[in-house]
């Protein structure tokens, strides 16, 4: 399995390098996608995971019995990881769909994690997208950022992607970067630096996901189905048994040179100005002393747009107290219906 992925890695590396400078959309269109059997394995859910189109499309469903999930067969140290996802529609309060990287099974006390979490809502209200980062077991400090989207993610498929290299992590929605985490000395060891697997899951987050647990999953609307396609695993594969890899070779440093174009950075700035809802760096209720990687100008226009709880001001939707997340970490309870 790892051998075939290494061939993909080398065969498309030059194309990846050239295309990335132009647009993430071109990268996604150019990189090889894997069928489920080629790159993934089922985690849980029995019949709640369904394969369609010769394994090129995966349906994960949540009902009263269980949710469902799958994971990559290999671990990866740096790369570009993407999926085209269509979320469940109608009443979805309490439903959590996650597309993320983690090594919690291999490094229980020092695990790393990169999260896309999609949080469902009551009928007539939009899904919210939450990104988060953990490094070296830093789960005592959640680095959540929450935003809305400029489209309805239940009407069609959209790409959600993660670029991870030695120096930076970039989250993308379609070809728009929405968040960048740069490795700094101030952040210390909290930057993810160990091989991780890719995961996709759907599960019941009723105790926290929507308005701090006020609105829960209603199984009369089940099954809730999240659809995944165009699954991309383009990185340096690591043996899951002994963690050996060719990642130290010079040609594998190509990911470390990738960054955003000026156009992409302008689009990220515009997105964050118009769609961000919560920023952990501004949450004084939670962090009286901001985490070390937060560089804050208290007099800036952006800072003045957020309250002491990190929630954007001027939003009429209510704030709620924090609860303990189902995955064992403190998360900012949803302040938005």
């Amino acid at each position: 399995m790892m051998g075939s992925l290494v061939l993909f890695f080398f065969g498309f590396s030059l194309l990846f390098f050239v295309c990335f400078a132009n647009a993430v959309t071109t990268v996604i269109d150019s990189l090889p996608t894997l069928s489920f059997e080629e790159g993934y394995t089922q985690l849980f859910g029995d019949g709640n995971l369904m394969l369609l189109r010769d394994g090129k499309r995966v349906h994960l469903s949540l009902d009263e019995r269980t949710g469902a999930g799958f994971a990559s067969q290999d671990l990866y140290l740096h790369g570009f990881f993407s999926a085209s996802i269509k979320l469940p529609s109608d009443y979805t309060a309490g439903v959590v769909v996650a597309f993320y990287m983690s090594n919690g099974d291999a490094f229980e006390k020092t695990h790393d994690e990169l999260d896309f979490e999609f949080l469902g809502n009551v009928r007539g209200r939009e899904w919210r997208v939450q990104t988060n980062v953990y490094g070296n077991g830093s789960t005592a400090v959640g680095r959540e950022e929450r935003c809305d989207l400029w489209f309805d993610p239940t009407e069609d498929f959209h790409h959600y992607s993660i670029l991870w290299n030695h120096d930076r992590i970039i989250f993308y929605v379609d070809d728009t970067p929405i968040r960048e985490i740069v490795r700094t000395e101030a952040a210390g060891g909290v930057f993810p630096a160990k091989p991780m697997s890719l995961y996709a899951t759907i599960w019941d987050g009723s105790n926290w996901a929507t308005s701090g647990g006020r609105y829960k999953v209603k199984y009369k609307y089940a099954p809730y189905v999240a659809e995944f396609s165009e699954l991309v695993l383009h990185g340096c594969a690591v043996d899951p048994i002994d963690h050996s890899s060719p990642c130290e070779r010079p040609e594998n440093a190509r990911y470390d040179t990738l960054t955003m174009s000026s156009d992409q950075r302008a689009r990220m700035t515009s997105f964050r100005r118009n769609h961000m809802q919560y920023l952990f760096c501004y949450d004084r209720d939670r962090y009286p002393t901001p985490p070390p990687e937060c560089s804050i100008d208290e007099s800036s226009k952006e800072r003045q747009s957020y309250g002491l709880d990190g929630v954007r001001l001027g939003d009429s939707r209510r704030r709620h107290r924090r609860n303990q997340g189902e995955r064992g970490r403190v998360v900012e309870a949803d302040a938005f219906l």
Side-chain angles (χ1 to χ4, degrees):
M1 177 62 230
M2 189 171 72
S4 64
L5 293 181
V6 170
L7 289 176
F8 272 136
F9 176 77
F10 286 110
F12 284 84
S13 59
L14 180 59
L15 183 61
F16 178 81
F17 212 20
V18 172
C19 292
F20 199 95
N22 297 324
V24 172
T25 301
T26 306
V27 173
I28 295 171
D29 291 341
S30 302
L31 292 176
T33 60
L34 298 179
S35 69
F36 188 85
E37 291 82 0
E38 290 174 317
Y40 303 90
T41 185
Q42 184 169 359
L43 284 177
F44 67 100
D46 300 323
N48 283 20
L49 185 153
M50 182 180 299
L51 301 181
L52 298 89
R53 300 186 180 181
D54 297 323
K56 293 290 188 179
R57 182 169 293 183
V58 185
H59 284 190
L60 299 181
S61 61
L62 170 67
D63 57 27
E64 288 181 311
R65 296 184 307 107
T66 183
F70 62 88
S72 61
Q73 295 174 14
D74 291 322
L75 295 95
Y76 297 85
L77 182 64
H78 305 154
F80 185 82
F81 310 92
S82 181
S84 184
I85 304 172
K86 183 179 179 182
L87 297 173
S89 60
D90 202 21
Y91 182 98
T92 55
V95 177
V96 178
V97 176
F99 178 68
Y100 65 104
M101 303 190 74
S102 177
N103 50 31
D105 54 345
F107 303 97
E108 183 177 352
K109 295 183 179 180
T110 60
H111 92 283
D112 306 301
E113 193 167 323
L114 303 173
D115 293 336
F116 266 114
E117 291 179 316
F118 305 92
L119 310 180
N121 220 326
V122 298
R123 185 180 289 112
R125 298 287 187 175
E126 70 274 11
W127 281 78
R128 285 75 24 81
V129 178
Q130 177 168 283
T131 60
N132 205 351
V133 177
Y134 295 116
N136 201 33
S138 59
T139 55
V141 178
R143 291 171 169 81
E144 299 91 351
E145 292 192 353
R146 189 166 301 173
C147 61
D148 58 31
L149 296 169
W150 65 95
F151 54 82
D152 183 346
T154 72
E155 290 185 346
D156 204 352
F157 286 88
H158 290 269
H159 289 102
Y160 303 90
S161 310
I162 300 170
L163 169 68
W164 170 40
N165 64 33
H166 181 271
D167 297 312
R168 70 190 67 242
I169 297 156
I170 305 176
F171 292 88
Y172 297 86
V173 177
D174 291 329
D175 61 345
T176 298
I178 67 167
R179 182 178 184 182
E180 180 184 35
I181 299 96
V182 177
R183 187 174 198 150
T184 64
E185 291 186 10
V190 302
F191 191 92
K194 297 186 292 297
M196 293 189 279
S197 299
L198 185 73
Y199 295 85
T201 58
I202 186 171
W203 46 283
D204 186 332
S206 289
N207 67 331
W208 70 275
T210 308
S211 296
R214 178 180 179 186
Y215 297 97
K216 304 182 184 302
V217 173
K218 291 185 178 180
Y219 285 105
K220 67 180 180 180
Y221 299 115
Y224 299 97
V225 180
E227 303 176 58
F228 293 77
S229 67
E230 299 181 38
L231 299 166
V232 173
L233 290 170
H234 197 270
C236 188
V238 174
D239 188 282
I241 304 301
D242 62 11
H243 296 175
S244 62
S245 78
C247 298
E248 292 76 19
R249 296 174 183 170
E251 61 267 27
N252 289 315
R254 58 179 55 83
Y255 293 109
D256 294 339
T257 66
L258 299 178
T259 184
M260 278 187 271
S261 67
S262 58
D263 175 69
Q264 288 174 324
R265 191 165 295 281
R267 281 187 282 121
M268 183 176 74
T269 299
S270 176
F271 172 86
R272 294 179 68 82
R273 181 172 59 247
N274 294 302
H275 295 280
M276 296 309 300
Q277 297 179 348
Y278 169 82
L279 298 176
F280 77 97
C281 280
Y282 294 156
D283 191 344
R284 290 295 184 273
D285 292 347
R286 190 175 179 188
Y287 304 120
T289 300
E293 69 269 27
C294 295
S295 178
I296 302 171
D297 179 358
E298 294 291 345
S299 64
S300 69
K301 184 176 179 180
E302 180 185 88
R303 177 66 188 95
Q304 299 304 314
S305 298
Y306 290 82
L308 294 178
D309 56 1
V311 175
R312 190 173 192 133
L313 297 173
D315 198 305
S316 60
R317 291 167 286 190
R318 289 171 292 181
R319 292 166 165 85
H320 293 266
R321 294 179 62 83
R322 293 181 294 274
N323 291 313
Q324 182 72 20
E326 178 150 318
R327 289 170 65 194
R329 61 182 185 266
V330 176
V331 298
E332 176 71 14
D334 188 17
F336 308 94
L337 292 180

